[in-house]
Amino acid sequence: KKKKKMFRSKAVRLALGGLSGVFIASAQQGTVLHCKEEEKKKEPKKPVWPPGSRCYPNFEYGEWVANWDGLGPHPDASDDLKKKLRKAPVRHVILIRHGQYDLECKGDPPLTDLGKDQAKVVAERILQWTKDDFKSSPSADVVNVKVNSVVSSNILRAKQTGQIIADVLGVNVQEEDPLLAEGVPCPCDTYAPSPREMFEDSARIEAAFRKYIHRSVDGYAAHAEPQDSYEGPPIYDVISCHGNVIRYFMMRALQLPPDAWLRTATFNTGITHLVIRPTGRVSLVGFGDVGHLGLDRTTYH
């Protein structure tokens, strides 16, 4: 009985990872165990299920890295500057996977007629955002969406998609960037790229992530040359690119294991929406959203 009690106490400590004031209901004993408060330690967070459980994986989750993009406040920044930086514009990165393309065409295939139609429909959906007033809650301020930029990869299917979107929005494509081209961002548990693929693609796609996924204001630059204010409306940037790139960007932005990118998938012209706050916090608002397409126009290839 004593061994059983010690085993149960040990299991509780492991499952809770040192959290204080937690009550655990024991199904077998019908009692409630109270854990004494312990000082929190700076260590990876453990899942709230016992080691060896066959129900859930026993991953460990690290703390959020606040200065993941290197644009956080300078260590010597004043409290006043830090307060101003927290009011900097929120960035909305709208990642659009290209429309359906011609699989029968070798080389750099163009969009099919359906793919062009998909691109036009997703563009019209974004255009509608710019016409509607958005309030995330009754007490929130009204947000007027204005697209700041449209960029695409230099691959034909993404270029065509980006151009159609830009035409509908009445803006120009700012850049056709080879960094955003399709590729293999990193190995994963179901696919092992060749060493050459990894050598070329992984560094390029990581460079694209660092170029496009970041907060709106550089805290170090602000410390060197402070301004009176950094406030501004939300920034919406549209990027027309590819499925692997989008999946990798999402995992990296959320600080989830990047090598799990192939466990997700997005259909043609699916919308992936990342919100990057001036504090460095990142939220995924939607992934691969194809609500603008009916099932008759939804395709993966």
Side-chain angles (χ1 to χ4, degrees):
K1 185 175 181 181
K2 185 176 181 181
K3 287 183 178 180
K4 187 175 183 180
K5 185 175 181 181
M6 289 175 63
F7 175 81
R8 186 175 62 207
S9 177
K10 184 178 180 181
V12 167
R13 288 198 304 273
L14 288 170
L16 296 177
L19 291 176
S20 62
V22 181
F23 289 86
I24 301 297
S26 172
Q28 292 182 336
Q29 302 295 329
T31 60
V32 176
L33 304 177
H34 177 259
C35 295
K36 295 181 179 179
E37 288 196 3
E38 296 179 2
E39 186 177 345
K40 292 183 179 180
K41 299 178 181 179
K42 290 285 185 180
E43 60 182 18
K45 294 180 180 178
K46 295 181 174 63
V48 290
W49 44 80
S53 168
R54 298 180 64 86
C55 299
Y56 301 97
N58 292 304
F59 296 135
E60 291 187 350
Y61 301 92
E63 298 288 340
W64 178 263
V65 178
N67 197 25
W68 56 273
D69 58 354
L71 300 182
H74 190 282
D76 298 329
S78 66
D79 290 340
D80 181 59
L81 177 58
K82 291 178 181 178
K83 185 177 179 180
K84 290 178 180 178
L85 289 172
R86 286 195 292 270
K87 295 181 179 180
V90 175
R91 285 197 68 217
H92 295 256
V93 182
I94 311 300
L95 299 160
I96 309 291
R97 187 186 174 214
H98 56 78
Q100 185 193 58
Y101 60 99
D102 186 356
L103 292 173
E104 300 299 322
C105 180
K106 304 300 181 182
D108 192 3
L111 294 178
T112 63
D113 289 340
L114 175 57
K116 294 175 182 177
D117 182 53
Q118 291 169 335
K120 183 180 179 183
V121 173
V122 73
E124 290 171 345
R125 181 177 181 186
I126 297 172
L127 179 64
Q128 189 60 49
W129 294 356
T130 67
K131 297 178 179 180
D132 295 337
D133 291 334
F134 172 64
K135 289 188 69 171
S136 59
S137 69
S139 59
D141 294 331
V142 173
V143 174
N144 299 117
V145 176
K146 183 178 181 180
V147 174
N148 177 64
S149 68
V150 176
V151 301
S152 75
S153 88
N154 67 333
I155 304 299
L156 182 56
R157 57 188 181 271
K159 286 199 299 183
Q160 289 180 316
T161 302
Q163 188 61 61
I164 292 171
I165 292 172
D167 289 344
V168 171
L169 296 178
V171 299
N172 295 320
V173 175
Q174 184 172 306
E175 185 178 2
E176 295 173 353
D177 193 346
L179 290 178
L180 292 166
E182 184 65 302
V184 181
C186 63
C188 60
D189 53 2
T190 56
Y191 175 68
S194 70
R196 188 63 188 176
E197 282 181 303
M198 280 301 305
F199 182 77
E200 293 181 351
D201 292 350
S202 62
R204 172 179 57 77
I205 296 173
E206 173 62 21
F209 173 83
R210 298 186 184 201
K211 180 177 180 179
Y212 292 103
I213 310 299
H214 54 78
R215 70 193 85 186
S216 61
V217 175
D218 184 343
Y220 272 64
H223 177 72
E225 298 181 10
Q227 300 177 13
D228 293 336
S229 174
Y230 296 93
E231 292 186 57
I235 298 170
Y236 285 77
D237 292 311
V238 177
I239 301 175
S240 170
C241 56
H242 307 268
N244 293 357
V245 176
I246 292 170
R247 294 186 275 192
Y248 179 76
F249 279 15
M250 177 189 68
M251 302 302 288
R252 280 281 283 111
L254 298 178
Q255 298 187 16
L256 297 174
D259 57 1
W261 62 271
L262 198 52
R263 300 179 191 179
T264 64
T266 173
F267 291 109
N268 295 121
T269 67
I271 299 174
T272 297
H273 186 164
L274 291 169
V275 178
I276 307 171
R277 295 174 178 81
T279 59
R281 287 287 179 174
V282 180
S283 297
L284 178 68
V285 175
F287 172 74
D289 179 1
V290 288
H292 48 281
L293 300 176
L295 285 177
D296 59 327
R297 290 189 288 186
T298 300
T299 58
Y300 189 74
H301 287 302

